Amino acid sequence: MPTTAAVTAPVEHVVEQIENAGPLDPVVKAVRKAVNATLRPRALRDGLHGVWLGHPLHPMLTDIPIGAWSAAAILDVVPGTGPAASTLIAVGCASAVPTAVTGLADWAQLHPPQQRVGLVHAAANLVGLSLYTSSLAARLAGKPVRGRLLGFAGLGAVMAGGYLGGHLAFRQSAGANHNADVLDLYPSGWQDLGAFDDLPDGKPTKRTVEGVDLLVVRRGQQIDVLADKCSHLSGPLSDGEFTSEGGHGCVTCPWHGSTFRLSDGAVVHGPATSPQQRFDTRIVNGRVEAKLPGS
Ligand code: FES
């Protein structure tokens, strides 16, 4: 009997090849350009990323088509359930469209290896959607056997796409919160960040405490400190721009433009959906100190 390693290694090898498949890049570039041109309004992009939800919207929406199509596959082996299976396939096809749009919005703001995997993930799901659309057409045309076979083929394509989606989320950390580890790494209690007078006014600055990088912004006597590693994909916020949104001081990440409110780390604009870790601050004898809230 083959071992687990023997079974999974070839799959991992294939995915690794996709991650490094430079020839996919011209396609990635063309699709990204089209996505960015289509999803130009920032409010639309923020909505699709899930800024309002505090989590990426795409993984939640995938439950609907995958659930509907999986249930249809079960009904397809139960006699007398053809109409119910057709209904589920129609629901899956209709819900796949908005699901794909949210995925494309996220995908357009990823790193190249993630975008290569994401491109193949999208292609597999597109094949799945085409097969399910043909399956539905066959069922409506009175060809149930053909409809079932196309449906099973569609489920296979969608499962392959799902494997790559899982790789993107869990191996390549797309959509994960990249500043969650700060809570574990930052020492408890107040920590010295240096002299107040050394901080430039209105300019993002980096300080490091026990290996944890911090973004420090001084505005007059006000000091705001956030984790420096952007929650989206670890971009350095201290290299970003100080901006103002709705009267609030903000910082904009130099990598993909996520914008965070300095006072509390809230996400103002995506693609990030997780807030930046905020720190309490104080000035003691002309020196700035910061600690995690509650520590
Ligand atoms: S790393 Fe992507 S917006 Fe900051």
Side-chain angles (χ1 to χ4, degrees), residues 73-295:
I74 295 168
L75 292 184
D76 272 345
V77 295
V78 177
T81 56
S86 297
T87 302
L88 285 169
I89 287 175
V91 168
C93 291
S95 59
V97 176
T99 303
V101 174
T102 56
L104 285 166
D106 292 346
W107 170 86
Q109 307 297 331
L110 294 176
H111 294 316
Q114 296 167 327
Q115 287 184 321
R116 293 177 195 129
V117 174
L119 186 74
V120 180
H121 161 75
N125 287 331
L126 189 60
V127 169
L129 176 59
S130 304
L131 288 164
Y132 271 115
T133 305
S134 302
S135 168
L136 185 61
R139 289 162 199 259
L140 294 176
K143 298 174 181 167
V145 175
R146 180 178 165 80
R148 283 193 199 103
L149 291 175
L150 285 166
F152 290 134
L155 188 63
V158 168
M159 290 295 112
Y163 179 88
L164 292 171
H167 185 85
L168 261 172
F170 300 114
R171 184 68 67 86
Q172 296 182 293
S173 302
N177 174 9
H178 285 251
N179 82 157
D181 58 353
V182 170
L183 283 174
D184 300 319
L185 298 176
Y186 194 80
S188 64
W190 292 102
Q191 306 296 324
D192 181 61
L193 303 189
F196 175 82
D197 288 341
D198 289 347
L199 291 172
D201 206 322
K203 185 177 179 306
T205 308
K206 184 165 100 175
R207 293 288 184 268
T208 303
V209 174
E210 307 242 348
V212 178
D213 291 337
L214 304 175
L215 163 75
V216 184
V217 180
R218 171 190 168 188
R219 289 172 290 160
Q221 293 300 304
Q222 166 85 23
I223 302 277
D224 290 303
V225 177
L226 301 178
D228 190 49
K229 198 166 62 166
C230 177
S231 67
H232 177 232
L233 284 177
S234 303
L237 294 184
S238 53
D239 288 348
E241 257 187 72
F242 173 68
T243 54
S244 178
E245 292 271 349
H248 296 281
C250 295
V251 64
T252 296
C253 179
W255 284 6
H256 309 99
S258 291
T259 301
F260 302 94
R261 200 159 52 208
L262 289 168
S263 59
D264 58 3
V267 181
V268 177
H269 294 299
T273 57
S274 297
Q276 282 303 113
Q277 179 60 53
R278 179 191 74 78
F279 291 76
D280 292 336
T281 61
R282 69 181 184 184
I283 300 168
V284 178
N285 298 327
R287 297 191 70 81
V288 178
E289 296 182 348
K291 75 173 179 68
L292 283 167
S295 80

